[in-house]
């Protein structure tokens, strides 16, 4: 791989020694480095290809050892990592012990926040600026780069409103590539589309660049350029100058792949007072034709083989995941019942709702990256008599916690929450684990909380949720489906399913680790311990009879969940046993402890948490040993 310049960069200051031609070469080398690594593993790709020039220009014009830079979401951070001293580690990205696929302050002072959720950059940059001002650090400039997909998030407008009110000196760069993961949707999308087509823009660009080239770009001249640009933009956007009206100075749009223009504009506006929005047009996948042609697929492609600028093969997986089953179950429910509709928050691809979008366009709703709105919107639909399914990753649903509480649970409305990626998620790491929903869902009165034990539970649970007269949360992890050999009991509210009883111990699984528990029980039996397994199915209402029987009759109980231990399923078992007056010292809980779990393969993470067969077996053996020692002590005394 040709990375002559890239390999010489130790800090972004090295860029300043490069000629214009070398900077162009550097952009090519960064794309080459991205292609080489991303082709070997699933990782963010097209978004990174699209910000190469913008990233170089930012580091040339600003000094981010003192100035502040936040890449919204953080999935487009790879070029930034490459030029902030992490080129040599880059091949380790998203692997256990290697670089994270998102900004990580533990890796570099150039990464300020560990993020992976969209929309918060403008708020944090405003906070940095306000803090710096109060701490006599006003010289520190503040920059947020936000995509047009993240822009409609409510929090962005909260922050812009606040920034305009405070009139803080800060720069928001709108990286407009017409895409979220899928093509952008909604009214703001249409608004931005107008800027692409407005013929008048060419004139503004010509005029602004003429002035930039002609006049010394300081003081009054800058003001003149900016106000002319503003008037021109106002006219071209049919009087709807959203950003200007909100109190931001709007500049652009400019070509985000033209390094010279980017540098000129950034240099011109970096010391402009008050909040400024620079509108930059980029192309998702720029510089790698297959990614430009299919940016949806190349947002996070599976490993692929390439020859030069061509993809010759993409590694395909034939296995089906829980996501596939849930999407099929929703599809079937929609086919049966015209009241069933589905909401996604810009994650149609990830939640595999594409066929539903095509076949039921009037009952498929993509709200954009607006989880809070999606939930309140579903509440309205439920109140109107529909049966909405909110299909959102567990981690992103956190954004809508208050709407789950007030608009849904408090009103006892029949909304089904499908929590995808609930559990550990592998290479995305701490920002993306769906590790907390057991805890936060179960605390709301009216909420039913359930999880399928295996493939056979999925459709019956989804169907159950659509007949239940209140809110239901259904969680499932990012993994391939599994079937546990058994005669399946029907899904009934608050009923667990007993695989087999065991006198020495019982493993109680909430979720798809049921199969792992069965394997562990079989291994324990082969080692002489009589261990049984329960597929809990419901965390709320918990099957108190079955759980209490296990706690009182078996020597020990191990609860197994892919979620935070604090307040989760195991806690519910402890609470139930305690309320029934049972002893609880024989209950052992496996799950996610009170710390963040680093990125790694999902299987590595499960092993680290003792949520694999070995971990469950050794926990059970330790529990059994304790029981035996206690019995011996009792017999001696
Ligand atoms: C709160 C939240 N919801 C959903 C996602 C999943 N997600 C990751 S990137 C992305 C698209 C972002 O689009 P945009 O901001 O335009 O950036 P681009 O990839 O186009 O550069 C989405 C929906 C997320 N990271 N955070």
């Amino acid at each position: 791989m040709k990375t002559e310049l890239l390999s010489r960069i130790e800090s972004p200051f090295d860029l300043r020694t490069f000629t214009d031609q070398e900077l162009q070469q550097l952009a090519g080398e960064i794309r080459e480095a991205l292609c080489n690594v991303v082709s070997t593993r699933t990782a963010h790709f097209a978004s990174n290809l699209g910000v190469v020039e913008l990233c170089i220009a930012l580091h040339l014009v600003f000094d981010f050892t003192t100035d502040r830079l936040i890449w919204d979401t953080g999935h487009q951070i790879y070029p930034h990592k490459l030029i902030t001293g992490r080129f040599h580690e880059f091949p380790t990205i998203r692997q256990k012990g290697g670089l994270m696929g998102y900004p990580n302050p533990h890796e570099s002072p150039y990464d300020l926040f560990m993020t992976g959720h969209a929309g918060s950059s403008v708020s944090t940059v405003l906070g940095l600026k306000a803090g710096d001002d109060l701490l006599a650090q006003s010289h520190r400039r503040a920059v947020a780069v936000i995509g047009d997909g993240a822009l409609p998030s409510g929090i962005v407008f909260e922050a812009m409103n606040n920034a305009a009110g405070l009139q803080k000196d800060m720069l928001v760069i709108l990286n407009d590539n017409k895409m979220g993961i899928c093509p952008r949707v909604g009214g703001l999308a249409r608004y931005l589309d107008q800027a692409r087509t407005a013929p008048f823009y060419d004139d503004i660009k010509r005029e602004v660049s003429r002035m930039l080239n002609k006049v010394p770009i300081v003081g009054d001249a800058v003001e003149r350029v900016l106000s002319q640009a503003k008037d021109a933009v106002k006219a071209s956007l049919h009087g709807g100058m959203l950003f200007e009206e909100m109190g931001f100075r709007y500049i652009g749009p400019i070509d985000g792949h033209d390094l010279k223009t980017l540098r000129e504009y950034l240099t011109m506006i970096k010391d402009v007072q008050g909040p400024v929005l620079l509108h930059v047009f980029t192309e998702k996948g720029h510089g790698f034709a297959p990614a430009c042609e299919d940016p949806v697929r190349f947002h996070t492609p599976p490993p692929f083989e390439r020859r030069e600028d061509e993809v010759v093969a993409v590694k395909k997986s034939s296995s089906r995941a829980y996501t596939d089953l849930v999407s099929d179950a929703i599809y079937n429910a929609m086919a049966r019942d015209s009241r069933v509709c589905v909401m996604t928050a810009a994650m149609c691809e990830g939640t595999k709702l594409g066929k539903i979008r095509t076949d039921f366009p009037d009952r498929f709703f993509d709200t954009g990256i607006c989880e809070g709105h999606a939930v309140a919107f579903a509440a309205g639909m439920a109140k109107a008599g529909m049966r909405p399914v909110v299909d959102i990753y567990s981690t992103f649903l956190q954004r809508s916690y208050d709407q789950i509480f007030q608009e849904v649970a408090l009103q006892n409305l029949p909304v089904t929450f499908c929590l995808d990626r609930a559990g550990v998620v592998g290479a995305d790491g701490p920002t993306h684990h769906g590790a907390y929903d057991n805890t936060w869902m179960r605390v709301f009165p009216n909420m039913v909380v359930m999880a399928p034990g295996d493939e056979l539970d999925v459709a019956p649970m989804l169907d159950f949720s659509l007949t239940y007269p209140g809110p239901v949360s259904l969680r499932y992890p990012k993994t391939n489906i599994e079937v546990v050999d058994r005669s399946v009991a029907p899904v009934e509210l608050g009923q667990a399913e007993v695989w087999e009883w065991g006198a020495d111990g019982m493993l109680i699984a909430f979720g798809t680790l049921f199969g792992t528990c069965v394997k562990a029980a079989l291994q324990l039996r082969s080692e002489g311990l009589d261990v049984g397994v329960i597929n809990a199915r419901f965390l709320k209402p918990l099957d108190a009879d079955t759980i209490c029987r296990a706690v009182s009759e078996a020597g020990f109980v191990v609860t197994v969940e892919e979620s935070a231990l604090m307040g989760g399923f195991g806690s519910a078992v402890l609470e139930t046993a305690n309320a029934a007056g049972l002893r609880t010292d024989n209950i052992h809980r496996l799950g996610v402890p009170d710390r963040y779990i680093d990125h790694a393969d999902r299987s590595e993470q499960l092993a680290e948490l003792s949520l694999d067969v070995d971990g469950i077996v050794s926990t059970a053996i330790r529990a059994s040993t304790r029981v035996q020692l206690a019995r011996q002590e009792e017999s001696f005394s």
Side-chain angles (χ1 to χ4, degrees), residues 44 46-48 51 72-73 75-76 102 116-119 146-151 153 175 177-182 284 299 345-347 369-371 393 395-396 399 432:
H44 290 99
S47 314
N48 281 295
V51 297
D72 193 87
T73 315
H75 62 301
Q76 74 296 55
Y102 293 94
H117 291 203
I146 185 163
D148 55 305
L151 184 72
S153 309
N175 172 28
N177 59 18
K178 295 199 287 182
M179 302 284 296
I181 293 177
C182 300
K284 203 159 172 169
H299 181 83
M347 295 299 282
I369 309 179
C370 305
E371 290 81 4
Y393 290 10
T395 190
F396 302 141
R399 277 280 162 88
H432 280 61

Side-chain angles (χ1 to χ4, degrees), residues 387-391 413-418 462 465-466 470-474:
R387 297 291 318 211
V389 178
V390 174
D391 194 349
L413 285 169
V415 174
T416 295
F417 293 97
C418 287
L462 196 272
S465 78
L466 291 170
V472 175
S473 162
L474 177 60

